[in-house]
Amino acid sequence: MMTLKVNGKDHQVDADADTPLLYVLRDDLKLNAAKFGCGLGQCGSCTVIVDGKAVLSCVTPMVLLEGKQVTTLEGLGSNSAPAPIQRAFMEEQAAQCGYCIAGMMMRAQALLQRTPKPTDEQIRGELVLHLCRCGTHMRIIRAVKRAARLMDTAALTPASEGSAR
Amino acid sequence: MRKSGIIGGVLAVLLLGGGGAFFAIAWHPAIAAIDPPPRQSFDASLVKRGRELAALGNCANCHTVRGGKNFAGDLAVPTPFGPVYSSNITPDAATGIGRWSEEAFRRAMRSGVDREGRHLYPTFPYDHFTNVSDEDDRALYAFLMTREPIHSQARENQLAFPLNQRVVVAGWKLLFLHRDGFQADLARSVEWNRGAYLVEGLAHCGACHTPRNALGAERSTASFAGGDVDNWHAYPINTQSPAPVPWDADALYAYLREGFHPDHGTARGPMAEVASNLSAVPASDVHAIASYMADVFGKPSPVRKLQGETALAQAKLATATPPDSQGAKIYAGACAGCHESGRPPPYGGIHLGLSTAINANDPRNLANIMLSGVRSIEGERSPIMPGFAAVMNDREVAALLAYLRSRFSAQPAWNDLEKTVAEARRTQTAYIQNSAGPANAPADPAQRDKP
């Protein structure tokens, strides 16, 4: 048994030290936003945030997560109250099949937390690790830029409206 | 009094004479500027040969910034004395070598002097290039003078006094530049001699793989005994090679040509660029390099051979020891899935019992690769590995390094691993952002349909 901190909550998880984080998120915690793509850390669809950094959960064993804070897409926002990054992706219609998008959003979120006004080059440099077969790349870049603007505005709204959004 | 007077006189004469001799060596005239020659003035086959030679010489790796224009220079090359910025070797008239005659180019290659007569720092490996033949210099010149001219002025070197005075370089040359050119060994085969000419000359393998002395020159008594490059360790490639399986000419050829060998693994770091370049040159030249280097590695002793066979045999056995330390657990979760899968690349990596990095004296390469992984090459079925910099802290990487060392090597444990990891984290960021990536996909068509 180990304690895994996900989206601000502690979960008691019965998993081996070498189990990939992705399996625990999906199978045990039923958090299905992160996807299994290649299982080799090469496509990016399993990306989540660990202590503020984008991490490939399919190649990250549980032993590396003790005392660390995991954030999945579910932790950013919901259907009724989407986070800026989610709103931006919807408004730009950046998903086609959508399989890669949760991972894209998580890496973009990590980028925006670190670099609130990224250049095109920085966005491309970050997302280069993510594969998308549908080809919505240009919309994805627009969505990340829109999210940056939304977050900028959100920062100006009163705290009572929620800081997570 | 009289005696000391004589000594004083002799000293004065020596000093004056020495000074005069030094001046003669230190001073070089400018070679007249020319108008940049038109592209058509160079023979196409000469240009093509020059392209292959430029790949053998790895010119682009220092003279191109990652994402920048080819051969436009301005890459910061770290030296123990401070960064030296590579020069623009495109035929731009104002900032490149557009006004250089072939004679000026040849003088730079042979003597490390630019067209205006200024000494070049030996970061430009003219201690090797001095061995390049006139014929090859002509082809290299033809190739470079037909590239796209790029207007780009390299930054000023950041060297402290007195090293910022270029005349100091004349003294360095007096000590370390041997201008005899390449001498063939007639007792050896033509192929061996061709390999020696390339390795000791244009390919300048020793520039990374030979340790340097306090003055930054290769130590001639320790040829190929291992050196440093861009915070990577260039392994010993002589009889002191730490490779678990001894190298031979066939393995060297495959590795240099394709960047991978199943008994040794993947070329990465600065060596990835070398292998990428060597995939685009005539196979006979790579065979020649392999033949010469196999000789430098030396014929393995019976003990060494047996060690290699044991390592290969063990790599085929499945291990089922339950992980008992943090390092072992990280290995089981993050590494074994690929490195014990037995799958061919890119879906699997070599068994780590075959890893040179784990058996080397210096843990930096292993730390570097854990942090940044191996990025795929666009359009190629190339080796891949995810980097773990984002999810593993220094303590965790150090634990994994220590475990790998104890499990897969009989060598003594490494010390100060957390410091090594912190340093690797700092320098790898710079490396990834600034160095020219392996943008040129291997051109060896034989590689394209292989896993």
Side-chain angles (χ1 to χ4, degrees), chain B residues 161-313:
Chain B
F161 183 84
L163 295 178
N164 57 359
Q165 303 298 308
R166 285 179 182 269
V167 68
V168 172
V169 177
W172 190 95
K173 288 178 185 174
L174 211 52
L175 294 170
F176 304 117
L177 177 60
H178 309 295
R179 287 174 235 228
D180 322 333
F182 173 71
Q183 308 294 330
D185 181 347
L186 297 177
R188 303 287 193 151
S189 70
V190 173
E191 186 177 62
W192 185 95
N193 273 299
R194 175 74 188 154
Y197 166 77
L198 289 170
V199 167
E200 306 294 350
L202 193 56
H204 65 286
C205 308
C208 293
H209 285 281
T210 296
R212 291 176 183 270
N213 63 21
L215 296 174
E218 290 174 33
R219 286 167 46 203
S220 53
T221 53
S223 282
F224 302 115
D228 285 307
V229 54
D230 294 352
N231 303 297
W232 291 80
H233 171 53
Y235 298 122
I237 50 173
N238 55 16
T239 52
Q240 299 159 41
S241 159
V245 178
W247 285 93
D248 59 28
D250 288 343
L252 281 166
Y253 173 80
Y255 179 84
L256 291 172
R257 188 76 167 167
E258 293 159 11
F260 178 80
H261 189 278
D263 297 350
H264 297 278
T266 300
R268 69 284 189 267
M271 194 63 198
E273 296 157 28
V274 175
S276 175
N277 284 336
L278 291 181
S279 68
V281 308
S284 60
D285 280 345
V286 184
H287 275 301
I289 291 173
S291 158
Y292 175 69
M293 284 314 301
D295 197 34
V296 172
F297 272 99
K299 213 173 158 55
S301 65
V303 175
R304 185 90 172 73
K305 237 176 151 169
L306 186 69
Q307 282 170 349
E309 282 158 15
T310 313
L312 281 171

Side-chain angles (χ1 to χ4, degrees), chain A residues 80-149:
Chain A
S80 53
I85 190 81
Q86 292 164 313
R87 256 182 66 197
F89 271 70
M90 286 189 280
E91 286 167 6
E92 290 293 347
Q93 290 287 290
Q96 190 169 318
C97 89
Y99 202 84
C100 69
I101 292 295
M104 295 261 195
M105 282 197 274
M106 293 314 282
R107 192 173 297 274
Q109 176 76 22
L111 169 69
L112 294 173
Q113 286 174 6
R114 195 169 71 240
T115 312
K117 286 178 185 157
T119 61
D120 272 27
E121 204 181 13
Q122 284 171 317
I123 297 171
R124 286 166 184 266
E126 280 291 305
L127 296 182
V128 70
L129 298 168
H130 291 248
L131 302 183
C132 161
R133 290 195 64 175
C134 299
T136 59
H137 301 77
M138 300 314 287
R139 287 171 183 241
I140 290 168
I141 292 170
R142 281 208 300 275
V144 177
K145 286 178 12 188
R146 179 183 281 260
R149 288 196 300 277

Side-chain angles (χ1 to χ4, degrees), chain A residues 5-160:
Chain A
K5 292 182 187 184
V6 184
N7 301 330
K9 271 197 271 181
D10 284 1
H11 298 269
Q12 294 303 311
V13 185
D14 184 16
D16 290 338
D18 61 354
T19 307
L21 169 62
L22 179 66
Y23 297 4
V24 173
L25 292 176
R26 292 181 61 89
D27 299 345
D28 297 341
L29 306 182
K30 309 294 175 203
L31 294 169
N32 291 320
K35 301 286 185 286
F36 183 94
C38 64
L40 298 165
Q42 296 296 316
C43 75
S45 63
C46 67
T47 303
V48 299
I49 292 178
V50 177
D51 286 351
K53 290 178 192 150
V55 158
L56 302 160
S57 66
C58 76
V59 290
T60 299
M62 290 296 284
V63 63
L64 292 174
L65 295 161
E66 272 171 79
K68 296 178 191 173
Q69 173 67 55
V70 180
T71 308
T72 69
L73 191 61
E74 290 93 338
L76 296 184
S78 62
N79 271 347
S80 53
I85 190 81
Q86 292 164 313
R87 256 182 66 197
F89 271 70
M90 286 189 280
E91 286 167 6
E92 290 293 347
Q93 290 287 290
Q96 190 169 318
C97 89
Y99 202 84
C100 69
I101 292 295
M104 295 261 195
M105 282 197 274
M106 293 314 282
R107 192 173 297 274
Q109 176 76 22
L111 169 69
L112 294 173
Q113 286 174 6
R114 195 169 71 240
T115 312
K117 286 178 185 157
T119 61
D120 272 27
E121 204 181 13
Q122 284 171 317
I123 297 171
R124 286 166 184 266
E126 280 291 305
L127 296 182
V128 70
L129 298 168
H130 291 248
L131 302 183
C132 161
R133 290 195 64 175
C134 299
T136 59
H137 301 77
M138 300 314 287
R139 287 171 183 241
I140 290 168
I141 292 170
R142 281 208 300 275
V144 177
K145 286 178 12 188
R146 179 183 281 260
R149 288 196 300 277
L150 288 174
M151 286 179 184
D152 199 29
T153 322
L156 298 173
T157 57
S160 59

